[in-house]
Amino acid sequence: MDDFAQVPTGVNPSIPSVARMYDYYLGGTDNFPADREAAEKMIAIGRQMGNDAREVARENRGFLGRAVRHLAESGVRQFIDIGAGLPTQENVHQVVRRYSPDARVVYVDNDPTVLVHARALLGDDPGTIVLSGDLRSPRAIFDDQALRAHIDFDQPFAVLLVAVLHFVPEDEVAAQIVTRIRERLTPGSHLVLSHIYQGDGDQAAVSAGQRVYSTATSGGISGRDLPQITSYFAGLEILDPGIVPVQAWRPEGPKDVPADLTRPGILGAVARMG
Ligand SMILES: C[S@@+](CC[C@H](N)C(=O)[O-])C[C@H]1O[C@@H](n2cnc3c(N)ncnc32)[C@H](O)[C@@H]1O
């Protein structure tokens, strides 16, 4: 974002926004100096752990695109993307539109910058709506009148929780949120979830990263282990290849991507309600 651009109402540019930091990792320009400074700290911390925050973000975005494409190819026509992020390339509605011109997408986010940009981008796209909503209040999201008018709950739909649940640092709260969301899934509906994973990452570096995000809009971040991430899919059928580093989820291209669970990064999976 141009540093002289008008700041949207409700946006405090001096507090790093997790949405705008992610935009910075992805090479976007919808960010302010405080976002860039916090993101650069995370990039330096990532380096200590042997990874590149920008590449991790790109890999997560790649997973999102492949997962949505897979679901669209399997006939899913309705998507609820919670923690949608700032518009970038290959946004959900653009991916699904290639498969079905009348697909329905609901973008939900609690960051005013995201809402302003998403609404500006979508303008008059009739199949897509943007809602202000907080993942911490899943009932309010699912009972929102605009969402209920847009999504036909008698037809399969997908809920996307991609790189957002780790911004709910309290383990018990995060688990309850996903339970509430799973309860809303109908047969044939899907959950797409990706989540920061600590692996065997250096604890001092992990703590340093947590300190950076404690000053951001989310108020914190919590990487979780494989059993915790697995528990989010309880009662669902996890599609192949299971819960894996996002870059190893149905990669495209000739090379095999190893599913190395020792390295810190982001794990992801797609699961179906039977
Ligand atoms: C790292 S970005 C991920 C964007 C996109 N899902 C992706 O994976 O490419 C996280 C997004 O989640 C949003 N977010 C964080 N906490 C949230 C909450 N409690 N409720 C709704 N959105 C939230 C942020 O504003 C941000 O846009």
Side-chain angles (χ1 to χ4, degrees):
M1 198 177 295
D2 192 302
D3 295 344
F4 305 105
Q6 210 163 21
V7 176
T9 312
V11 172
N12 182 345
S14 62
I15 297 178
S17 141
V18 298
R20 296 191 306 257
M21 287 170 70
Y22 184 69
D23 174 72
Y24 181 74
Y25 299 141
L26 290 175
T29 54
D30 294 327
N31 45 71
F32 293 113
D35 308 311
R36 297 195 277 276
E37 195 183 313
E40 282 294 345
K41 282 186 192 158
M42 288 309 299
I43 289 168
I45 291 165
R47 233 177 258 130
Q48 285 172 34
M49 291 203 274
N51 69 21
D52 177 342
R54 289 166 293 209
E55 195 181 322
V56 171
R58 278 195 299 274
E59 285 167 345
N60 177 69
R61 198 70 206 170
F63 162 75
L64 172 64
R66 294 193 303 280
V68 168
R69 219 158 31 239
H70 167 74
L71 294 179
E73 278 166 7
S74 337
V76 178
R77 295 286 173 260
Q78 309 188 95
F79 294 81
I80 303 171
D81 184 3
I82 305 177
L86 279 156
T88 172
Q89 288 173 359
E90 293 289 282
N91 300 296
V92 173
H93 72 286
Q94 293 162 325
V95 175
V96 298
R97 245 342 100 66
R98 288 185 208 126
Y99 298 86
S100 166
D102 52 356
R104 300 256 158 162
V105 176
V106 181
Y107 289 120
V108 183
D109 209 287
N110 68 347
D111 187 312
T113 314
V114 171
L115 301 171
V116 167
H117 283 256
R119 285 180 178 137
L121 172 82
L122 294 166
D124 46 15
D125 184 316
T128 307
I129 60 170
V130 180
L131 298 180
S132 170
D134 192 330
L135 175 62
R136 289 173 175 273
S137 305
R139 188 186 304 155
I141 292 175
F142 280 85
D143 291 347
D144 185 287
Q145 290 202 341
L147 182 142
R148 298 195 77 80
H150 199 70
I151 297 289
D152 177 357
F153 284 106
D154 292 333
Q155 298 296 321
F157 58 93
V159 177
L160 314 184
L161 296 180
V162 180
V164 62
L165 192 62
H166 41 247
F167 293 122
V168 178
E170 316 92 306
D171 290 342
E172 187 50 34
V173 176
Q176 284 185 25
I177 287 170
V178 189
T179 301
R180 298 268 161 77
I181 291 175
R182 278 199 318 268
E183 286 167 0
R184 299 289 184 136
L185 297 179
T186 51
S189 291
H190 289 77
L191 176 66
V192 179
L193 188 146
S194 76
H195 198 292
I196 296 242
Y197 172 68
Q198 227 164 278
D200 293 345
D202 172 59
Q203 193 49 49
V206 169
S207 302
Q210 285 170 336
R211 279 196 295 279
V212 173
Y213 274 100
S214 70
T215 66
T217 47
S218 64
I221 193 167
S222 200
R224 298 196 164 94
D225 59 23
L226 186 57
Q228 283 173 307
I229 296 172
T230 304
S231 73
Y232 300 143
F233 296 97
L236 305 180
E237 175 203 341
I238 301 177
L239 308 189
D240 282 343
I243 303 170
V244 293
V246 280
Q247 63 275 22
W249 196 90
R250 305 191 184 197
E252 284 158 1
K255 67 178 176 121
D256 220 21
V257 180
D260 180 358
L261 287 173
T262 61
R263 288 177 59 95
I266 300 187
L267 297 188
V270 178
R272 182 177 188 277
M273 172 64 86

